[in-house]
Amino acid sequence: VGAAADEVAAEAAADAAAVVSGLTGMCRSLGVAAQHVLTAAPADAGTDELEYVRRLTETIATLATNHITVVPDPALRAAFLEALLGLTRYPSLEVLGAALPAWPGLLRGMGAELPGTFHRPDKSSGSGVFGVQQS
């Protein structure tokens, strides 16, 4: 029983290492693809090229949101996130729309939200929008 458990554990560890290796390779490849897109002339609206850029951006955003913490190389993580950030500057709202949803989750994952620090403004007369409405 002990040898079987050791074998299962070794197989699970090998599988996990293969997943991490695959995600690392995917990050490198998608980062290269993003750099090519960002250095090329912008795609025209309604073209297959723009659809490619949108789908590439969705893929990068999804990978960044759900799996970037698994990549062991901090430099690769940073370069991958820089590629995603670069795609937010692409001159197409379709591409921007694909990139933006990733950022709130990424920022939350890095501890950007500070619980308990948001205070609702006083709704008394003369404060904020409520005060303007009362005038």
Side-chain angles (χ1 to χ4, degrees):
V1 175
D6 289 343
E7 187 177 316
V8 169
E11 186 177 338
D15 288 347
V19 168
V20 169
S21 176
L23 285 171
T24 300
M26 190 183 313
C27 285
R28 282 194 182 96
S29 298
L30 290 171
V32 168
Q35 290 306 318
H36 284 291
V37 163
L38 293 170
T39 57
D44 294 326
T47 61
D48 288 343
E49 290 82 8
L50 184 59
E51 180 65 15
Y52 169 79
V53 176
R54 186 186 65 78
R55 288 181 183 218
L56 174 67
T57 303
E58 284 178 347
T59 303
I60 291 172
T62 300
L63 183 62
T65 303
N66 297 310
H67 304 295
I68 195 68
T69 57
V70 175
V71 176
D73 181 2
L76 178 59
R77 283 195 309 265
F80 189 73
L81 293 174
E82 285 178 17
L84 179 58
L85 183 61
L87 289 167
T88 64
R89 294 187 304 261
Y90 195 85
S92 164
L93 289 177
E94 291 179 48
V95 175
L96 178 62
L100 284 181
W103 289 102
L106 288 167
L107 292 171
R108 265 193 303 279
M110 294 177 203
E113 287 188 340
L114 302 173
T117 59
F118 177 77
H119 300 286
R120 294 193 181 276
D122 180 23
K123 294 209 180 207
S124 62
S125 182
S127 118
V129 174
F130 184 77
V132 172
Q133 290 173 347
Q134 296 297 317
S135 305

